[in-house]
Amino acid sequence: MKFRIKATCCMITLISLFFGAGGSALISINFHTSLQQEKTTAQESYRMILNTMQIVNNMDEWTDEKDISKILEQLSAQDAFGAALQLHSQTETLYSKGKIAAHFKNLSGQTDVSHLACTIFSAPDTRYYLQLSGSFFVGREAYYLDAAYDITSIYEARTQQQELYQQIFIILVLTCAFLSYILAYFLTRPLARLSKASREIASGNYDYRSRIKSNDEVGAVSGDFDLMADHLQNSIEELKDAMERQNQFIGNFTHELKTPMTSIIGYADLLRSQALSKEDELDAANYIFSEGKRLEQLSLKLLDIFVSEHESFTLTKASPADIITNLVSHLKPVLIKENVTLQCVCEDGYCMLDTDFFGSLLVNLIENGRKALMDGGTICVYSEMTTDGCQIKVSDNGRGIPQTALSHITEAFYRVDKSRSRAQGGAGLGLTLCAEIARLHHGTIAFESKENHGTTVIVELKGGLA
Ligand code: ADP
């Protein structure tokens, strides 16, 4: 059952209970007040007769039944007297007037001279009567006077009120039911929108939002829901991107693996199936060796990336200047043989670094600079301290990177010039690893390059100051 129907039913039940009970109580109070008034009036009239009887009795010796009947006749002639009158002793009825007198109840046991007995009875004519009964003594004998007063009008008034109230009640409940439904509809409309939004999102429409603008709790829930949907959508998009990247990575990796493997298998097959000259044998062995080396490089780079992504990463207090100077002093003699001058300008200071990854970052950037210098040149490493770590710049005056390639060079297996890179032993993973190292240090990597002039790689590391 819908919530708005439930709410309407609850409201109707409550309204019915309150109005039903309230109306009944009101009619009942009204009825009892009228009955009480009628009783008071009847009692006054009755006491008048009884007092008169007692006065007459005190003045004259009560001798004759005819006298009594006469007095009662005179008294009953008055308007206020009622519907029936009866005088009786314990043994006989002395006077009786009115048809209803036959239906009097015997209240002689409940009355005495100081106390009136009272009851209500309905006669066969479907009318209601109030019976009052009192007693007085004549000599030693007790006499009882019963009087009946028609109170049907009070019962009729109550029935009329009840019927009228029933009609009012039905109109009231129907009106309230209608208004309650409208109210419940407007109150639950935001919930319906929220429910639609969750169904839309569940069915894959991640752009759908509930967008309920209200300052109440439903508005707050809607805001939270939309926020959750935003996060969910971002996570799903990130997941899709990651899957896409992963698929691309696997494709590139398989390709990178296939090329050297095909060469290795081809040359190995040549060696085992044909008798080759010493020179050709050496060529084949060299080819197998260099392709094997390439595979080794590839697996080492991949291992580094895998380690950077999955293994624990520890930042320790370190001096970038010390690490750079040390590395430069080791690489300088090797590079000088290739006509490459390696220099460094470093600012002293300490910051938080993973020294292994920092070393790997520098080696990769210097190596790329070396590969870019065809006929020798200069590679410069600069470092300076920043507010939350350090900035490293590695620049060379090599062949530079085309502008169109700049946005892709950190992608795995991306190479600007595939054949040249392959010849130089690259697999397009060096800058991927550098970008990953920068990310692990909460930093960034950026490139400034001009073709045939050189490249500067700027790495910001934000592991914090020591
Ligand atoms: P690789 O391991 O093949 O060197 P990288 O990811 O390190 O791959 O670099 C990607 C590509 O970017 C390389 O193929 C190279 O062409 C280009 N590149 C990187 N650094 C430089 C640089 N300093 N000068 C010119 N080209 C560069």
Side-chain angles (χ1 to χ4, degrees):
M1 194 195 273
K2 279 192 171 177
F3 182 71
R4 68 181 66 144
I5 309 269
K6 279 186 193 170
T8 309
C9 289
C10 285
M11 283 197 241
I12 292 172
T13 312
L14 282 178
I15 288 164
S16 304
L17 277 175
F18 284 118
F19 277 102
S24 300
L26 216 66
I27 292 169
S28 174
I29 290 167
N30 196 21
F31 170 74
H32 282 102
T33 311
S34 305
L35 195 63
Q36 198 53 48
Q37 277 172 0
E38 199 64 35
K39 262 187 194 173
T40 313
T41 316
Q43 276 172 353
E44 280 168 9
S45 154
Y46 178 85
R47 278 198 191 283
M48 195 189 78
I49 302 168
L50 201 63
N51 289 344
T52 312
M53 293 294 293
Q54 275 169 340
I55 291 163
V56 171
N57 179 41
N58 289 343
M59 278 167 45
D60 285 317
E61 188 74 11
W62 194 311
T63 50
D64 195 344
E65 286 172 13
K66 279 185 191 159
D67 293 342
I68 297 164
S69 303
K70 223 160 138 188
I71 296 163
L72 285 172
E73 197 66 47
Q74 282 168 3
L75 287 170
S76 65
Q78 293 171 19
D79 273 356
F81 175 66
L85 191 65
Q86 189 179 60
L87 181 71
H88 63 94
S89 68
Q90 288 288 14
T91 51
E92 56 177 335
T93 302
L94 302 174
Y95 175 80
S96 180
K97 188 187 175 188
K99 276 188 265 170
I100 300 304
H103 302 287
F104 273 138
K105 300 213 171 359
N106 185 4
L107 302 176
S108 54
Q110 298 168 29
T111 180
D112 55 46
V113 278
S114 59
H115 179 73
L116 288 184
C118 172
T119 188
I120 291 169
F121 66 91
S122 67
D125 59 0
T126 66
R127 297 187 75 77
Y128 288 88
Y129 295 95
L130 173 70
Q131 178 187 343
L132 291 175
S133 200
S135 65
F136 59 92
F137 279 90
V138 177
R140 286 178 157 265
E141 186 154 14
Y143 285 85
Y144 301 94
L145 182 68
D146 294 318
Y149 297 86
D150 191 346
I151 53 167
T152 312
S153 62
I154 299 172
Y155 281 86
E156 281 173 351
R158 185 176 68 168
T159 312
Q160 261 176 17
Q161 281 173 0
Q162 281 171 336
E163 282 170 2
L164 186 69
Y165 189 70
Q166 265 171 19
Q167 289 166 9
I168 294 172
F169 182 76
I170 290 168
I171 295 169
L172 207 75
V173 167
L174 287 178
T175 314
C176 286
F178 175 70
L179 293 177
S180 301
Y181 184 80
I182 301 284
L183 195 71
Y185 173 77
F186 281 106
L187 284 177
T188 56
R189 207 162 56 151
L191 292 178
R193 275 175 66 180
L194 208 58
S195 154
K196 185 165 191 274
S198 36
R199 269 182 279 120
E200 286 286 340
I201 289 171
S203 66
N205 184 3
Y206 300 112
D207 290 329
Y208 200 90
R209 296 290 178 271
S210 60
R211 292 190 217 292
I212 298 165
K213 299 266 174 283
S214 71
N215 293 328
D216 56 11
E217 289 84 347
V218 180
V221 171
S222 158
D224 292 344
F225 179 87
D226 287 352
L227 200 69
M228 186 193 74
D230 286 345
H231 286 305
L232 190 73
Q233 191 176 19
N234 287 344
S235 305
I236 288 169
E237 267 159 24
E238 273 170 22
L239 219 62
K240 271 188 192 163
D241 282 355
M243 272 176 70
E244 218 167 279
R245 278 202 307 275
Q246 209 168 25
N247 285 341
Q248 205 174 356
F249 184 90
I250 292 168
N252 289 335
F253 175 67
T254 318
H255 180 74
E256 285 305 315
L257 213 60
K258 220 179 97 194
T259 319
M261 288 299 268
T262 313
S263 308
I264 290 171
I265 293 166
Y267 276 98
D269 192 40
L270 201 68
L271 280 174
R272 74 182 181 128
S273 58
Q274 287 178 34
L276 298 173
S277 64
K278 270 271 170 225
E279 207 177 312
D280 287 345
E281 261 180 23
L282 195 66
D283 274 356
N286 277 339
Y287 206 88
I288 291 171
F289 179 77
S290 66
E291 290 301 290
K293 267 286 190 205
R294 189 194 311 287
L295 279 178
E296 188 193 28
Q297 283 296 317
L298 179 73
S299 59
L300 285 175
K301 283 265 167 68
L302 275 175
L303 191 68
D304 276 351
I305 293 173
F306 184 82
V307 166
S308 70
E309 279 177 1
H310 295 93
E311 295 244 320
S312 64
F313 170 73
T314 37
L315 292 175
T316 49
K317 181 182 170 182
S319 160
D322 286 354
I323 298 172
I324 293 167
T325 320
N326 195 20
L327 185 74
V328 166
S329 65
H330 276 97
L331 292 176
K332 227 175 185 170
V334 185
L335 291 177
I336 205 82
K337 287 181 194 157
E338 294 180 26
N339 232 356
V340 174
T341 314
L342 182 61
Q343 300 168 345
C344 66
V345 182
C346 303
E347 186 188 345
D348 284 335
Y350 287 88
C351 64
M352 301 303 285
L353 294 171
D354 183 305
T355 48
D356 288 342
F357 280 132
F358 183 67
S360 186
L361 173 95
L362 291 170
V363 169
N364 272 287
L365 295 180
I366 294 170
E367 181 66 6
N368 278 351
R370 182 191 67 81
K371 285 184 206 165
L373 295 167
M374 294 147 286
D375 306 314
T378 310
I379 300 171
C380 261
V381 184
Y382 305 94
S383 85
E384 56 185 54
M385 303 309 295
T386 59
T387 49
D388 47 7
C390 62
Q391 188 193 62
I392 313 297
K393 283 185 185 173
V394 179
S395 61
D396 63 72
N397 54 356
R399 65 174 172 271
I401 305 167
Q403 289 300 308
T404 47
L406 281 177
S407 55
H408 299 288
I409 48 176
T410 54
E411 289 169 14
F413 300 107
Y414 181 85
R415 283 165 295 190
V416 176
D417 184 336
K418 246 183 178 157
S419 51
R420 187 192 289 144
S421 177
R422 276 181 67 77
Q424 289 179 325
L429 290 173
L431 290 180
T432 310
L433 178 63
C434 291
E436 183 62 20
I437 292 169
R439 188 188 65 78
L440 287 172
H441 286 83
H442 317 291
T444 52
I445 185 164
F447 303 88
E448 286 170 4
S449 187
K450 200 170 173 196
E451 274 184 277
N452 302 319
H453 281 83
T455 304
T456 303
V457 185
I458 306 147
V459 184
E460 295 269 358
L461 299 180
K462 298 174 180 175
L465 289 178

